[in-house]
Amino acid sequence: MTAQAQTAPTILRRKQVEARTGLARSTIYQHIRAGTFPAPISLGAKSVGWIEAEVNAWLEARIDDSRKT
């Protein structure tokens, strides 16, 4: 029987999400309210983060949308 190694999801903080997407903080939260960007998860009383895989999927979808003819 082989053991599968499970990797923990990577969490991105807001500054990292801004750098990765090129979006400003206010734009990110506008997209979240509109339901067009992944919602953050709570990391504590005053901190949130985004799951990297969800942000990457959002970016890939934007790339695919922009490449459609």
Side-chain angles (χ1 to χ4, degrees), residues 12 28-29 32 37-43 47-51 54:
L12 302 174
I28 290 169
Y29 282 101
I32 291 168
F37 192 80
I41 60 168
S42 176
L43 299 175
S47 63
V48 297
W50 283 260
I51 299 171
E54 293 178 356

Side-chain angles (χ1 to χ4, degrees), residues 4 13 17 28 57 64:
Q4 286 183 315
R13 298 304 300 266
V17 173
I28 290 169
D64 290 344

Side-chain angles (χ1 to χ4, degrees), residues 21-65:
T21 63
L23 300 174
R25 175 181 176 240
S26 59
T27 304
I28 290 169
Y29 282 101
Q30 285 174 349
H31 282 292
I32 291 168
R33 282 191 298 278
T36 58
F37 192 80
I41 60 168
S42 176
L43 299 175
K46 294 183 178 185
S47 63
V48 297
W50 283 260
I51 299 171
E52 181 180 36
E54 293 178 356
V55 174
N56 288 342
W58 182 87
L59 283 168
E60 290 172 16
R62 299 297 70 74
I63 293 168
D64 290 344
D65 288 347

